[in-house]
Amino acid sequence: MNPLRVAIVGFGKIARDQHVPAIAAADGVELVAVASRNASLPGVPHAATLDELLRDGPPIDAVALCTPPQVRHAQAAMALAAGKHVMLEKPPGATVAEITPLVTAARAAQRTLFATWHSRFAPAVEPARQLLAGRKVTSVKITWKEDVRVWHPGQVWIFEPGGLGVFDPGINALSILTRILPQPLFVTSADLAFPANRDAPIAATLALSDAQGLNITAEFDFLQTGPQSWDIDLDTDGGPVTLSMGGARLRAGGKQLVDAAEAEYVGLYRRFRELAATGESDVDLAPLQIVADAFLLGRRRTVEPFEEAT
């Protein structure tokens, strides 16, 4: 089988830190071009924009869109119209509804649309799902707190409309939760803290449930200093279960069941290659729907302005 020839569109921190090494480590996938106005990769053909890449760049089979979510819909539509498979970094878009036309376009073009949730490929997530399949979950607590100044330095778009603010990392926890729990989840209340000078929240508290009345709470914070927290604690009829380090570790019954190195993005590209081989799409919007409902239902509070130190 010929390798899947991928172009990365948008070459910021996530593309450099995750996508480039993952493509190099994934069998059957090859990085053949980069499209970015502000950055390039030595030795790899470069274009300033996606349309320039499609017009003048080397032959490609697929694009990985690592641009801010506010511009991904137009780029995905352009790539699908050009007959390319499309990987969408998370979140897949700035709104829920804009993804549906892309699914339709991918089906018509017989091309893959892959809305990725990289945290679902963390090493402890599937073992946790299998463990919980035999248990009754009685409550869940999410604690997802990190420092935006460390993980998103200079990324102004994240606090602009459609950038999600603290839900950019928080949606990772929701993507795990919607994978490991068997029932659909919905928001029952939300408190959103917006800096006075920003258009997206810097902290949030959510309450969620399912049709059986499961009690779920989530605390998201974008100003955590010191140790960072990416934890999901579940009470079950078989004892407590904890997913920590963003899904890299699983503990249950007083034992560490999984403690593995991160390899999420390699899993993403393996899945992308499998999908592209048949033209199948994989688009689960449940995590994005929860965030959208949090904005719809949430009580908004104004907090002190956020200024990133220079």
Side-chain angles (χ1 to χ4, degrees):
M1 182 187 299
N2 293 328
L4 183 69
R5 299 169 297 180
V6 176
I8 295 176
V9 181
F11 203 62
K13 179 176 172 58
I14 195 70
R16 289 182 178 275
D17 292 352
Q18 300 292 348
H19 287 258
V20 171
I23 291 172
D27 292 338
V29 185
E30 180 182 0
L31 177 61
V32 298
V34 167
S36 174
R37 293 186 184 278
N38 303 311
S40 60
L41 184 65
V44 176
H46 174 265
T49 63
L50 175 58
D51 56 347
E52 178 184 321
L53 174 68
L54 294 172
R55 184 181 63 248
D56 301 325
I60 63 172
D61 305 306
V63 298
L65 298 184
C66 302
T67 48
Q70 295 95 325
V71 300
R72 286 202 202 122
H73 177 268
Q75 292 174 332
M78 181 187 301
L80 290 169
K84 312 305 178 186
H85 304 290
V86 174
M87 173 190 281
L88 300 170
E89 247 293 355
K90 64 87 191 170
T95 72
V96 179
E98 71 182 21
I99 308 302
T100 301
L102 297 178
V103 174
T104 301
R107 186 181 302 115
Q110 297 183 314
R111 291 296 181 267
T112 291
L113 181 68
F114 183 23
T116 65
W117 302 108
H118 65 80
S119 290
R120 288 183 175 178
F121 289 80
V125 171
E126 283 306 301
R129 186 180 70 84
Q130 295 168 15
L131 177 68
L132 294 172
R135 299 190 182 190
K136 177 180 175 59
V137 179
T138 55
S139 68
V140 181
K141 180 182 179 182
I142 295 172
T143 307
W144 220 261
K145 300 181 178 182
E146 65 180 55
D147 192 341
V148 65
R149 294 156 295 202
V150 172
W151 300 101
H152 298 277
Q155 296 180 5
V156 176
W157 62 265
I158 208 165
F159 284 113
E160 294 177 345
L164 298 192
V166 74
F167 286 114
D168 181 82
I171 205 169
N172 294 334
L174 298 173
S175 73
I176 293 174
L177 198 64
T178 52
R179 175 62 183 166
I180 65 177
L181 295 183
Q183 298 293 328
L185 308 178
F186 55 91
V187 179
T188 58
S189 68
D191 181 270
L192 311 177
F194 282 72
N197 61 338
R198 305 288 177 165
D199 293 311
I202 202 162
T205 302
L206 269 60
L208 303 99
S209 191
D210 64 7
Q212 281 68 50
L214 178 62
N215 179 40
I216 304 169
T217 60
E219 295 284 344
F220 303 130
D221 188 0
F222 233 168
L223 293 176
Q224 177 87 337
T225 58
Q228 311 283 277
S229 304
W230 302 291
D231 305 323
I232 301 176
D233 295 298
L234 306 100
D235 289 324
T236 80
D237 60 356
V241 175
T242 297
L243 273 165
S244 59
M245 293 303 295
R249 297 176 182 169
L250 174 63
R251 187 172 182 82
K255 298 180 180 180
Q256 195 75 39
L257 303 182
V258 179
D259 187 355
E262 176 185 322
E264 298 174 9
Y265 279 82
V266 176
L268 284 186
Y269 276 97
R270 288 173 179 158
R271 175 64 172 155
F272 192 31
R273 182 195 62 202
E274 292 170 358
L275 292 168
T278 62
E280 180 185 358
S281 289
D282 183 350
V283 181
D284 178 12
L285 298 181
L288 185 60
Q289 183 67 67
I290 290 173
V291 172
D293 286 351
F295 278 102
L296 186 65
L297 187 63
R299 183 185 300 275
R300 174 171 173 161
R301 293 185 295 110
T302 301
V303 297
E304 64 182 26
F306 171 72
E307 299 291 351
E308 186 172 2
T310 58

